Each structure stands twice: as C-alpha cells, then as structure tokens.
Amino acid sequence: MNCSISGEVPEEPVVSKKSGLLYEKRLIERHISDYGKCPVTGEPLTMDDIVPIKTGKIVKPRPVQAASIPGMLGMFQIEWDSLMLSNFALEQQLHTARQELSHALYQHDAACRVIARLKKERDEARAILAQAERQMPAAAAPVPAAAANAAALSNGKRAAEDDEIGPDGKRIRPGISASIISELTNCNAALSQQRKKRQIPPTLAPIDAVERYTQLNSYPLHKTNKPGILSLDVQYSKDIIATGGVDTNVVVFGRSSGEILSTLSGHSRKVTSVKFVADGELLLSGSADKTVRLWQGSEDGNYECRHIMKDHDAEVQAVTVHATNNYFVTASLDNTWCFYDLASGLCLTQVSNGSTNDGFASAAFHPDGLILGTGTSDAWVKIWDVKSQTNVANFDDHRHGPVTGPVTAMSFSENGYFLATAAHDGVRIFDLRKLKNFRTFSPYDENTSTQCVEFDHTGSYLALGGADIRVFQVANVKAEWNLVKTFPDLSGTGKATCVKFGPDAKYLAVGSMDRNLRIFGLPEEDGPSES
C-alpha cells in the first residue's frame, strides 16, 4: 500500500475515516494544518478523522535501476558524468583565477617600474636644479659671511651654494665661533669628569658568554644585483641598526623585531658611512657621490632627507658625530675634512690635509670631543685639535709593512687613552698619552687586509674584521690582550667590511660584501628567528 500523497510506502501509515485513503502521517498532518481538507477528494478533514494503522517494520524496496547490473552501471555512469562536469567547471574556475592573478601581478610590476622611473627622474631633476642654482651668478652686492651664516641658521636650510669664493678659488667658511668652542670645551670637561667615576656596568656580557657566541641570524637587507654592506651603526636605546650598501641605499633595521623599518634612497653611488645621532631620530649617511645626507625620522618609522651637504669634491669616506650631538665631521678623498652644524647643515670650516695629496679614508671623534682622528689613503694616522683645526700628531706605523694601504677604520676606546686603527697590515693600538703604538694585531697574510676595527661602548672588548671576525679582551698597555672568540666569515666573500657591538656587548653585528647583515650572540639573547 502506498501513500496517496507521495506514492511511496509510508513509514507511519494512517487512514481517513471519510475516504478510506492511506496517507503518510507527517504529510497528511501538514496538509490538514495548511488546508483543512482531504488532498484527494477535497472534503473537509480534521485530525480526528485520521486513524493510525499498526504494521510491521517496513523495508523500502530498492529502486528499479538498482535491481539489475545494467541499471547499476547506468547509475554509476550518471554519477561519473556529473563528477566529470563538476571537475571541468572547477578547472575552468582555476584557469580564470590564474589569468586574473597573472594580470594583477603584471599590473603591479608595471606600476613598480613606473614609480621607480618617476623617482629617478625626480632625483635627476633635483640634481639639475641644485646644479643650476649653484651656477647662477652671485648678486651684485656681496653678502658678509656672518650675515650668510645667520640667515642659514635662522631658516634651517643649507646655504653652501651662497658661500663666498675666496681668491684661491675655495669657499669662505664662517669658521668655528668662540661660542661653539666654549660649548665643545664644556662638553669635554663634563665627560672627562664622568670618565674618572666610570665603572663597567654589571649588565656587560661576560667573557664566557662571548666565547659561546654563534651566528643567530642573517638578514638580506640589500639588493642582490649590487651586494655589499660597507658600513653600519647601532642605536643602543632603540636597538636599531642602520646599514649602508653598495646598492646606494641606507637600510634601518629593527633587531628586536627582525624587520626592515625603512629603506632610505637618494644617494646615486655606494653609501660608505652611516651614523645615528642622539636617540636615533636623526641619521647621517656619506656616499661616494660626494654628498652627505641628514635624514629625519618620524613616528611611523620612516625617514625623510632634511639636508644634502655638497661641500666635498670626491668620495665621502667617513662621518663621525660629536659628543654634543650638535656637530659632526665628514672626511673625504678630496684631502679635506669638514666640520658641520647639525641643525642647519652648514659647513663651518673645511680643513685641508696640508701639502700632501692623501685623501682621508676614515675618521672618528675622541669620546671627549676635542680630538679628531683621521686615517689617510696612504696609511697615515693623523690627530687633529678640533678647536684650532691643527694637526697635532701623526703616526706612520702602518707604512712600515711590506704592503701598505688606506687606514680603513679607527675607533677610540671609552677610557680615552687608546686608539685602534685598521689598515692592510692589520690593527694597531696607540697610547694617546705617550703617542706610541704599543700593540699590533696581524691576523692575516700580506695579501689580506684588515677592513674594520671597533671597541665596545665600555672599552672592554675589541673586534676586528677581514677574512674573519675576531674579538679580543682589552687590557692595559703591559698586559696581554687575549683572543676571546673567532667567527668565520659566513658570507663566502672573505671580506667582513664593518663590525659593531650591540648594547652591553650582548651581540655583534657584522656586514660583509654580500647583502646580509649577520648577528652573532647567545641564542637566549636573540629575539626573532632567522629570516
């Protein structure tokens, strides 16, 4: 017996008293609640007219198609066809999605190329404009140097293009005023007094920890087509690192986050030197394009170029910041160093290396700020009195070896007594009290030069780099300076170009002639995992 509504065998059969027709209980209940009449005869019908029928358990018969092998094969064929049609529809959707993705990527790549071209055209236009402004004839009435200096300081912009030209063809500089010299002297007195009370902080990494240092991370910060990190600097309070590369970019990197915070583009040739100022909101970069740029940081982590200094006639090799954080010095292969006011970007004085033609390859301020050390391309180390801008001492020790080369790096110890310099023949340590070279490290053969040297901020450790990286424990003049750790050059280039200790010497940042910044330290002292 089949249901009069569905035509199938009912699971709960009921019968109508009025018509005697058989129904499925749930179907007739729904129909009566909706219409109140018999679905077949149309007579009024209520649930009181429905009588349930007791039956045994009903087993539903198989469909007719499943009752034979040909029928089952037909069912399978229908299912297979449906599956194939569904698969074909999915493949079409995948193909369409791939086409849309390819089109979007092509548009993105085209947009990036257009943006890069526009940036290049903008920089070229700025360079042409600056050159045109420099070549414009001066006004008929000469402007006194003091007035020009005051105007530059008042509006906060560079005024190098307006400098007067002297009889010898060189620009007339305003000079270092008495007030500035007084500021430098007061800073020197305060720092010297503090140094007498200086103690090694308890948070400094101990020797046994440095001995266990290993490479923690390697970050590809610069471009692959022009690899090479030539300089780096660490801003201790924020634990950020700036690197200057052969690819003309300056990269600001957050070590704790393991991310690039900002990429600074603007130089047209390799960046040879980078230096943070004070709390890291200002950053200086020197380049082989003969310019120095002052970058201003913002709250969102980006940096904008605030000043462009164009006072040198050859590659700028070094930038060093005075302890007041109000002045800085640049050294160039044009045989001069320049003393700048940081706020205005104005070159206050430009000092020549005398009658020799040795360009400067490195420079560093003494911690107290009244002494400037420079290294020349002809292996001389020269000490200058900043107040009088006179050469007060010279060291020729790097010139005694069979092979000579430029003094590529120098670093003053925080104790104020030691100066470390790196050149082709190795690293030499000078005692500034006796003006004497009392220790020499020659880690490599005569065909391999030492590229970099750096004291940590407490003067407890000394790191040097070349074919590898070595860390020494700093001692006094008579005691032995023990080798603590040697790190292999994992870049594969055999040339570690720059090295810098992190806060409390908890890590060592190393740049090489590949594009990677490498961090050495203890695993528990490191933040993010290797990227």
Side-chain angles (χ1 to χ4, degrees):
M1 297 291 289
N2 295 332
C3 173
S4 299
I5 297 176
S6 64
E8 297 181 356
V9 178
E11 295 180 357
E12 294 183 70
V14 294
V15 67
S16 172
K17 294 179 182 180
K18 294 183 178 182
S19 62
L21 295 174
L22 185 68
Y23 300 102
E24 175 70 59
K25 182 179 180 181
R26 58 184 175 81
L27 296 179
I28 192 62
E29 284 179 348
R30 186 182 302 170
H31 190 84
I32 291 174
S33 65
D34 292 341
Y35 303 104
K37 60 182 180 180
C38 178
V40 178
T41 63
E43 297 177 355
L45 190 65
T46 65
M47 290 304 298
D48 296 335
D49 299 327
I50 300 300
V51 178
I53 301 176
K54 295 183 178 181
T55 61
K57 186 177 181 180
I58 300 173
V59 178
K60 293 184 179 181
R62 293 181 179 180
V64 177
Q65 294 88 346
S68 63
I69 292 178
M72 293 177 66
L73 292 175
M75 290 175 59
F76 293 154
Q77 183 65 47
I78 293 172
E79 291 293 332
W80 175 260
D81 293 342
S82 300
L83 179 62
M84 290 298 102
L85 289 173
S86 176
N87 187 52
F88 177 72
L90 290 175
E91 287 182 350
Q92 281 188 321
Q93 293 177 2
L94 176 61
H95 180 68
T96 303
R98 283 179 173 174
Q99 285 184 325
E100 292 176 353
L101 177 61
S102 175
H103 184 66
L105 290 175
Y106 176 78
Q107 287 183 326
H108 178 269
D109 184 60
C112 291
R113 289 198 299 269
V114 171
I115 292 172
R117 178 174 56 81
L118 291 176
K119 284 185 175 180
K120 182 178 179 181
E121 292 177 355
R122 179 200 64 186
D123 294 339
E124 291 176 351
R126 286 179 176 176
I128 293 173
L129 178 61
Q131 184 178 3
E133 290 177 350
R134 178 174 291 185
Q135 293 175 353
M136 287 175 62
V143 180
N149 187 11
L153 293 174
S154 64
N155 60 21
K157 296 182 180 179
R158 279 279 279 102
E161 289 80 1
D162 299 328
D163 289 336
E164 291 185 359
I165 305 299
D168 56 356
K170 297 182 179 180
R171 295 190 186 96
I172 299 176
R173 307 294 185 184
I176 302 179
S177 64
S179 61
I180 295 177
I181 292 177
S182 176
E183 181 182 0
L184 301 183
T185 304
N186 293 336
C187 177
N188 171 268
L191 292 176
S192 299
Q193 189 66 26
Q194 293 175 9
R195 183 165 292 106
K196 295 178 181 179
K197 303 176 182 179
R198 184 181 68 96
Q199 294 182 350
I200 302 298
T203 54
L204 181 70
I207 295 176
D208 60 342
V210 178
E211 290 175 343
R212 302 197 308 273
Y213 279 7
T214 184
Q215 177 172 310
L216 301 176
N217 304 89
S218 177
Y219 300 101
L221 303 186
H222 291 267
K223 297 179 181 179
T224 55
N225 59 340
K226 291 183 178 180
I229 297 176
L230 300 180
S231 59
L232 64 85
D233 195 24
V234 178
Q235 209 288 321
Y236 291 150
S237 62
K238 296 182 180 179
D239 200 11
I240 57 177
I241 301 173
T243 62
V246 179
D247 61 357
T248 74
N249 289 333
V250 177
V251 176
V252 181
F253 175 77
R255 193 198 72 90
S256 57
S257 64
E259 297 178 351
I260 294 176
L261 304 180
S262 185
T263 299
L264 285 51
S265 300
H267 287 293
S268 59
R269 296 183 66 185
K270 61 185 180 182
V271 179
T272 55
S273 182
V274 290
K275 277 289 182 293
F276 281 110
V277 181
D279 58 358
E281 295 301 324
L282 294 176
L283 175 64
L284 288 161
S285 61
S287 170
D289 63 6
K290 308 177 186 178
T291 69
V292 178
R293 288 177 178 252
L294 175 62
W295 307 87
Q296 173 75 56
S298 58
E299 294 182 356
D300 58 2
N302 293 322
Y303 285 76
E304 293 185 357
C305 185
R306 179 172 158 187
H307 294 300
I308 302 177
M309 283 64 79
K310 302 179 180 179
D311 299 284
H312 288 292
D313 297 325
E315 295 184 11
V316 177
Q317 290 291 297
V319 178
T320 179
V321 181
H322 190 267
T324 58
N325 290 312
N326 295 327
Y327 310 98
F328 66 95
V329 161
T330 61
S332 169
L333 292 179
D334 66 359
N335 201 32
T336 66
W337 57 267
C338 293
F339 186 93
Y340 287 92
D341 174 74
L342 186 68
S344 64
L346 180 67
C347 178
L348 301 180
T349 186
Q350 187 168 12
V351 181
S352 175
N353 193 19
S355 59
T356 63
N357 294 320
D358 303 337
F360 293 114
S362 57
F365 266 116
H366 185 273
D368 293 342
L370 288 185
I371 295 176
L372 176 71
T374 59
T376 72
S377 57
D378 198 24
W380 281 95
V381 176
K382 300 196 172 190
I383 306 299
W384 303 79
D385 178 6
V386 177
K387 293 191 295 183
S388 62
Q389 301 99 60
T390 55
N391 181 204
V392 294
N394 295 310
F395 302 107
D396 63 351
D397 300 77
H398 284 295
R399 298 169 57 86
H400 295 166
V403 180
T404 61
V407 179
T408 53
M410 58 173 46
S411 176
F412 286 95
S413 173
E414 181 59 27
N415 64 16
Y417 302 145
F418 299 152
L419 169 64
T421 59
H424 191 93
D425 62 338
V427 170
R428 294 181 181 270
I429 314 297
F430 298 91
D431 186 348
L432 298 177
R433 296 166 294 185
K434 299 181 179 180
L435 298 179
K436 181 180 179 181
N437 171 214
F438 69 91
R439 190 166 304 281
T440 301
F441 299 107
S442 300
Y444 314 121
D445 57 41
E446 62 180 20
N447 296 321
T448 305
S449 63
T450 308
Q451 297 292 323
C452 52
V453 64
E454 185 75 25
F455 284 104
D456 79 301
H457 74 290
T458 67
S460 301
Y461 297 107
L462 176 75
L464 61 88
D468 54 23
I469 303 97
R470 305 187 185 195
V471 178
F472 292 86
Q473 180 188 11
V474 175
N476 55 33
V477 175
K478 296 181 179 180
E480 188 67 25
W481 293 35
N482 297 320
L483 176 63
V484 178
K485 183 71 174 181
T486 299
F487 303 101
D489 176 36
L490 300 177
S491 67
T493 62
K495 195 172 183 181
T497 55
C498 45
V499 61
K500 199 82 174 179
F501 286 97
D504 292 326
K506 292 296 178 64
Y507 65 84
L508 195 66
V510 177
S512 303
M513 285 309 292
D514 64 347
R515 67 193 188 110
N516 294 310
L517 170 68
R518 289 177 169 81
I519 305 295
F520 295 86
L522 290 178
E524 59 267 22
E525 296 292 341
D526 183 56
S529 59
E530 182 171 349
S531 60

